[in-house]
Amino acid sequence: MEQSPVNAAQSEAAMAAPLEFEIQDLRFEYDRVPALNGLSLRVREGERISLLGANGSGKSTLLRLMDGLYFAQAGTLRFRGEPLTEDALEDEAFALRFRRQVGLVFQNPDVQLFNPTVFDEVAFGPLQLGWSRQEILDRVMSTLQWIGAEHLKDRAPYRLSGGEKKRVAIASVVVLDPDVLLLDEPTAALDPRSQSQVIELLESWNDGRKTVITATHQLEALSEISGRAVVLRQGRVVADAAPEAVLADTELLEAANLVHVHRHEHGGVAHKHVSPYLRHEHHK
Amino acid sequence: MHIPDGYLSPSTCAVLYAASAPCWITALRRTRRRLLARSLPQLALFAAFSFVIMMFNLPLPGGTTGHAVGVGIAAIVLGPWSSLLAISLALTIQALFFGDGGITTLGANCFNMAIAGSFAAWVLYRLISLGAAPESRRRVLAAALAGYGAINFSALLAAIEFGVQPMLFHDAAGAPLYAPYPLHVAIPAMMAGHLTVAGAAEAVMSAGLFGYLRRNEPVLVGLSAPPAESARPLRAPLWGVLALAMLLTPLGILAGGTAWGEWSAADFSDSSARTQMVAASGHMAAPSAAPTGLAHLTNLWTAPMPDYAPRFVKSAAFGYLLSAIFGVGLICAVVWVIFWIAGRFGAGDDGVPVASSTGRRLRAGVVSRTLRGFSRALERTLVQEDTARARGLLQAVDPRVKLIGLLGLVVTAALSHRLAVLAGLLALGVALAVASRLSLLRLVTRVWLVAFSFTALIAAPALFLTPGAPLAHFAGLTITANGAHSALLLLARVEAAVTLGTLLVLTTPWMHLLKALRTLFVPVEVIALLAMTHRYVVLLVETSNAMFESRQSRMVGRLSPRQERRLMIETGGVLMSKTLALGNEVFLAMRARGFRGEVRLIEEFRLRPSDAVAGVGFAAAIVLALSAGR
Ligand SMILES: Nc1ncnc2c1ncn2[C@@H]1O[C@H](COP(=O)(O)OP(=O)(O)OP(=O)(O)O)[C@@H](O)[C@H]1O
Ligand SMILES: [Mg+2]
């Protein structure tokens, strides 16, 4: 892959921080549907990155590879210097460490919620990692409190509203207090107030040393949630820069299908609107 | 084909468990490596799919019901080993959770439907489609015949197991102790239904799903595998034939007539006993000595049979007459069941309201009723979690103690030969249910009535078939005292076993049950499979409900039966792909949070003094019932 055009986003401190993920020329396809086509990316500890791209550009796929759920057909993916492969994860000790350090919130909360109650759901991860009973009870309750879902504790997760499900899904991952948090559209399906609440929560959780990678379509909150924006297109990185720089680059956004450019005429005068993808409102 | 508890003698059960075990172990070994990675989701999917397919009971003459199994398509997609695991799993869940099929007979049911069915389907498909092009019509035909052949093979095995019971197990007066049909009644009755109704259903389903998958998921049916893989099919049928031959050897006992060793070795030198044996086995010559291994196994489980002469009804006309009686009986039962379901869900009390987008009420067709069945299954799983978390006597008992104790009581009920003992066990079950705050109404409607309706159909012929002193006359037939006794015995045994099994399920949260099984040395792969399958069943139900609702909201008027059938097949296919995709996701989500197949609970099981008391209580009840039951 060609070297990323801009790297302004990365502060000097971040440049000095150790590498969390090192991704080289990654290729992945689902039964002949190519999803990643030689993607390269370096993520340093403490970075907050947003992953942009049109539907189907490969954001979710990338996050799954980074979480060790899928494995690339070609290219390398290293986590803290160690290659993340199927064989590596067969190793009990490594798997335990990795699962503890990296958490993924899925795009679709329905698939993430499979326990009989919300409490069990949040306790699932800690149980798998073999924490002590008291620790689990404390952490689950404090996480539920933090996300504002305490009152849902004994409810069945699949009977919650869309937004409540999303919160529980986030809680079920954050409870592990991972060093790296991968979020696949954490604010989709939330009402505007919940959206900002979730963003604030995630910010409050992040003490500055956590690495957070967020796949999102929401250009409005970009600078709030990240210090670096990576734009994907057809399974490749097409831009990697500060959020402001990416937002200012209309050509790029249009090319990556992130904004909808609407041309029409007002009384004979040609007129052009740029509106964020999916947020376009018709305009008389 | 789900043989309930009490229909097969303990020794038959043991033999079939033993026949199944090597298959399960081999299958687990073969799939182990990939189990926690790729094939588990698929396997669980097919288990769930088969589970649902088997919920469609079709009435068959002969006192049994029939249904498609889904084994045809499962074997084609998964291969026989994974397929047999998948179907076994579906059967296990049905037995544990839905009282469909017994616990003691689980080995038999798995042997018939999962193991024999999977191999039969797979061999048939491979043989018939040998050398056929991927797009060839022959493959569809092969899929249809694989399903048809497999289900009929399974049915034949079940019929044989039913049929050998009265010959092998009856009391001193000749009244059957277990299933009352002799082979010459059971086989035609069972096969009549499977060669027609159930076989056709399985064939159509296999072919329909195969066609669908070939078009949409060719990888699944092995039609777009890379060339390196194509070496596999050559070797595979040979293994299948070998395995099939091996699996068939237990039936050699029957063909050789050696199963008569059940009576006692001495009978083989007793001339009058020999005469009876020859008469009972269709005038086939009896062997001169009993096979010692079989005699030994029999003695391990049941008291040797007394030396007496069985008197079988040999009139062919009577067989036909029975079929007619059952036909009518089954139609009544099915109508009753449909009314029951319609009554429960038609009023929209807790089901999906049946309304179209125009607000006009639609009469539910087959598809709709099918989907209602799904929501019922969902409701049951949810209800189970509710009752399992209530504060009651059994809920407080350690799951391991409960598992062993209640299963022990179920086996005891199956072994018991006395009405008083069975009544005692049933009373114990009711007392435990009350103490555990279970709704008796629910127990009566969901468990007793259902078990009764099916058992009654099977027990009814025993009333007339069994020779003995006349008791009453009914529609030109004579009810004998022995007949009434053995019918009652059968009924009581089934009710007691089913009630006790239901108690276990209703008072134990699903994860605790898994954990208890785990602590009792059930391998981790089996537990992971059970956990995933449970999740898939719920998922399948949710998905199908959502699909049903979205379809319903776009439908106006009523569908013709043809449209319904098309919709059914299409829905099946779409449902399968959709659940496959969703299920994979769920599995990934579990792995993302560290799931590696081990069940972990917040509360470690800890034995308390009260559990010791419960354990002693169970043991006392079992010992008491066993000693009184002989
Ligand atoms: N399970 C799957 N099977 C086959 N193809 C898939 C699967 N999941 C994704 N794809 C394909 O892979 C490509 C990348 O998908 P991915 O889910 O990574 O996109 P995304 O950027 O997350 O999109 P969105 O914004 O819609 O969530 C798409 O072309 C998609 O169709
Ligand atoms: Mg996505």
Side-chain angles (χ1 to χ4, degrees), chain A residues 76-129:
Chain A
T76 57
L77 196 165
R78 285 169 185 278
F79 172 68
R80 298 190 175 166
E82 291 181 73
L84 195 60
T85 61
E86 201 161 3
D87 287 336
L89 279 168
E90 288 272 311
D91 177 44
E92 183 92 30
F94 179 75
L96 218 69
R97 195 149 34 89
F98 181 76
R99 296 289 169 222
R100 172 78 176 75
Q101 288 162 342
V102 183
L104 168 64
V105 177
F106 282 66
Q107 184 168 357
N108 174 2
D110 279 322
V111 309
Q112 199 163 350
L113 308 176
F114 43 80
N115 284 286
T117 68
V118 168
F119 183 92
D120 292 329
E121 192 62 60
V122 180
F124 184 86
L127 278 168
Q128 301 307 314
L129 300 185

Side-chain angles (χ1 to χ4, degrees), chain A residues 32 64 67 69-70 86-87 89-92 95 99 102 106 108 110-116 119-121 123-125 127-129 133 136-137 158-159 172-173, chain B residues 33 37-38 217 219 224-225 378 382 385 389 511 535 538-539 542 582 584-604 606:
Chain A
R32 305 212 189 123
R64 276 148 194 245
D67 198 38
L69 296 175
Y70 293 158
E86 201 161 3
D87 287 336
L89 279 168
E90 288 272 311
D91 177 44
E92 183 92 30
R99 296 289 169 222
V102 183
F106 282 66
N108 174 2
D110 279 322
V111 309
Q112 199 163 350
L113 308 176
F114 43 80
N115 284 286
F119 183 92
D120 292 329
E121 192 62 60
F124 184 86
L127 278 168
Q128 301 307 314
L129 300 185
R133 186 185 123 81
I136 293 176
L137 290 177
Y158 39 85
R159 286 197 181 155
S172 71
V173 172
Chain B
R33 175 111 179 87
R38 264 176 303 274
E217 313 262 357
V219 182
S224 70
L378 176 62
L382 299 181
E385 288 293 337
R389 281 166 200 279
M511 282 311 233
R535 175 60 208 169
V538 174
L539 202 62
E542 284 170 8
L582 259 177
N584 266 318
E585 295 274 286
V586 173
F587 185 63
L588 285 178
M590 291 174 87
R591 290 219 295 162
R593 283 195 275 157
F595 180 72
R596 294 173 71 80
E598 195 67 70
V599 182
R600 296 172 202 270
L601 298 176
I602 265 215
E603 307 293 341
E604 278 304 316
R606 205 171 299 139

Side-chain angles (χ1 to χ4, degrees), chain A residues 59-61 107 184-185:
Chain A
K59 302 181 296 293
S60 300
T61 309
Q107 184 168 357
D184 202 348
E185 305 197 19

